Amino acid sequence: MLSKRIQVLSPSLTMAITSLARDLKAQGRDVLSFSAGEPDFDTPQIVKDAAIAAINDGFSKYTAVGGTPEVLKAIAGKLKRENNLDYKPSDIVVNVGAKHSLFNIFQAIIDEGDEVIIPAPYWVTYPEIVKYSDGTPVFIDTDETSGFKITPAQLKAAITPKTKALLLNTPSNPTGSVYSKEELTALADVLKGTNILVVSDEMYEKILFDGLVFTSVASISEDMFKRTITVNGLSKSVSMTGWRFGYFACPIKEITDAIVDFQGQSTSNINSITQKAAVPALNGLADADIEIMRSAFERRRNLAHELLNQIEGISVLKPEGAFYLFVNTKAIENDSMKFCQKLLEEKGVAVVPGIGFGTEGYFRLSFATDDATIKDGIERIASFVKNYK
Ligand code: PLP
């Protein structure tokens, strides 16, 4: 029945664990979920108000496929103001979430056999999108010794004549690692003189801790600006996951034009109301709400990090951004699926197995939940680990 194309996709492990947790809950079990990939905060009021006004004003028709002039201007303004990037509105395309941006991008730039370098651990969707585009994911494994970041030497060794793109994600889902300006500059030096594109997923740029300042890879140099496709959205930073607003910016006209055409034959424009709602957030009017969420994440990160590291047999680096901890269980169990399934069944704690992110011997714990749940959940993990067989 099914096309070969659709069969290359693997089911999402995050979804599998979430649905197992839901089943247990439906059976009346007391389940604590740390598998969420979304903030537990409501969308800022100013965003909701803009949406309500748009509905009442009848802003309910098709818009330009790649986004309204108003929203494209707001994105260009945001990228200039916050990221020091000089994109024109015509360099930008709005998509149904950043997942859709990435899907469109790889459909547009990858031919069969083209290689895309993906640092591991990676966000679950990256290899699937590359495979669906007939491309070949090439993984660079990282661990705690480099703070889960690739080194220039690793990047150099991964490049072949077939390399089409490097996919970077900073801050990272699942590790929370953040590349410094110096680290990005060193990676940029390796790419100089090549035709390799960089796809930079900056979804978690606003969830940064310890006063860290975010650097967009396209801002490193003119050379990087020309080869980079910057991807971002509002799901994580403004707590708008369900609204579906993502975008990319790219100075290569051929690519943006092709994607607008492609999107014109698939989804057309994203929801008109969401575009109106996004404008105040992009213009910085939700920044105070964003700061409330960011500081709550920082406090929870400190709490969860400290409690987890008190447990003998597991260890975790302190993430510099995003809202995940990537916990090393290798001293007691390398099979992450087995560990997570047992933890869920025996203690009612849902976390995501590291294998879903391409790395065995870990689990991902999302701290996008309240302090009491974090404390209770980690206590259960401690008792599980103590008696692990
Ligand atoms: N990129 C990363 C690293 C993510 O974790 C996610 C969501 O989980 C996305 C992109 C996609 O977000 P959305 O499609 O909601 O904009």
Side-chain angles (χ1 to χ4, degrees):
M1 281 293 277
L2 293 176
S3 69
K4 290 195 185 72
R5 196 172 55 253
I6 205 90
Q7 290 183 63
V8 305
L9 294 179
S10 315
S12 156
L13 262 190
T14 327
M15 304 245 180
I17 283 285
T18 310
S19 90
L20 182 55
R22 208 179 295 122
D23 290 350
L24 289 175
K25 253 187 191 161
Q27 292 163 21
R29 286 279 306 275
D30 162 31
V31 174
L32 300 179
S33 183
F34 298 94
S35 58
E38 60 186 346
D40 53 322
F41 296 93
D42 198 2
T43 301
Q45 191 59 43
I46 193 154
V47 172
K48 295 189 199 173
D49 288 344
I52 292 163
I55 292 171
N56 289 333
D57 292 347
F59 193 73
S60 52
K61 306 290 186 210
Y62 290 129
T63 73
V65 169
T68 62
E70 181 190 33
V71 86
L72 296 178
K73 188 167 160 247
I75 295 169
K78 178 260 180 257
L79 291 169
K80 177 68 192 160
R81 198 174 63 246
E82 297 182 351
N83 306 86
N84 196 25
L85 294 171
D86 268 309
Y87 291 109
K88 300 188 293 295
S90 57
D91 297 332
I92 299 163
V93 182
V94 176
N95 318 103
V96 189
K99 190 181 262 184
H100 186 220
S101 310
L102 291 162
F103 182 82
N104 283 348
I105 290 165
F106 286 106
Q107 286 291 313
I109 66 172
I110 297 297
D111 267 326
E112 192 173 349
D114 284 347
E115 293 176 356
V116 178
I117 297 175
I118 304 177
Y122 46 73
W123 179 43
V124 286
T125 297
Y126 296 149
E128 301 307 316
I129 290 181
V130 170
K131 283 189 289 174
Y132 192 80
S133 311
D134 290 335
T136 307
V138 173
F139 302 114
I140 300 180
D141 290 325
T142 68
D143 61 19
E144 289 88 342
T145 53
S146 65
F148 292 109
K149 290 182 258 191
I150 59 167
T151 63
Q154 282 180 307
L155 176 59
K156 202 166 175 189
I159 293 172
T160 76
K162 289 186 173 169
T163 307
K164 184 74 190 243
L166 163 68
L167 211 176
L168 274 184
N169 173 214
T170 174
S172 151
N173 175 6
T175 67
S177 62
V178 179
Y179 285 85
S180 68
K181 188 170 183 184
E182 291 68 36
E183 287 163 340
L184 292 174
T185 305
L187 295 178
D189 282 345
V190 176
L191 299 177
K192 248 183 224 154
T194 71
N195 292 325
I196 298 170
L197 296 167
V198 176
V199 178
S200 179
D201 179 342
E202 306 185 354
M203 280 304 284
Y204 294 89
E205 82 175 312
K206 300 220 172 185
I207 308 171
L208 277 188
F209 310 130
D210 309 321
L212 228 64
V213 175
F214 180 73
T215 305
S216 281
V217 67
S219 72
I220 291 292
S221 62
E222 189 56 26
D223 179 69
M224 283 308 276
F225 183 75
K226 285 188 184 148
R227 67 172 76 243
T228 298
I229 307 176
T230 302
V231 177
N232 211 327
L234 301 179
S235 288
K236 318 287 174 170
S237 58
V238 195
S239 197
M240 289 179 66
T241 44
W243 295 73
R244 311 311 298 133
F245 188 94
Y247 59 89
F248 73 87
C250 166
I252 307 166
K253 192 172 174 328
E254 218 184 332
I255 294 179
T256 46
D257 284 356
I259 292 177
V260 169
D261 287 347
F262 178 51
Q263 186 160 306
Q265 301 293 13
S266 49
T267 58
S268 294
N269 63 272
I270 78 153
N271 183 310
S272 58
I273 307 300
T274 294
Q275 294 187 61
K276 279 282 185 193
V279 171
L282 291 161
N283 286 340
L285 300 179
D287 284 0
D289 302 278
I290 293 171
E291 176 52 24
I292 290 170
M293 300 190 242
R294 193 210 61 76
S295 59
F297 286 133
E298 180 157 346
R299 198 193 62 244
R300 294 164 180 180
R301 181 228 24 192
N302 293 342
L303 173 70
H305 174 257
E306 195 189 324
L307 294 176
L308 281 165
N309 270 336
Q310 286 168 5
I311 303 172
E312 210 173 310
I314 63 175
S315 63
V316 60
L317 282 190
K318 203 171 196 178
E320 297 181 307
F323 40 70
Y324 310 104
L325 286 149
F326 203 56
V327 184
N328 187 325
T329 65
K330 286 181 202 168
I332 52 165
E333 179 62 83
N334 203 50
D335 183 337
S336 59
M337 197 62 202
K338 183 174 157 200
F339 183 94
C340 293
Q341 238 161 6
K342 270 165 76 87
L343 177 62
L344 181 54
E345 281 157 12
E346 292 176 19
K347 298 286 177 186
V349 171
V351 293
V352 186
I355 189 67
F357 310 97
T359 311
E360 271 297 21
Y362 295 84
F363 66 82
R364 188 193 75 175
L365 178 142
S366 160
F367 50 88
T369 186
D370 60 275
D371 290 19
T373 307
I374 291 173
K375 282 185 197 152
D376 186 358
I378 297 178
E379 257 172 43
R380 294 188 199 188
I381 293 173
S383 113
F384 177 71
V385 166
K386 200 168 163 207
N387 303 307
Y388 194 82
K389 281 190 278 307

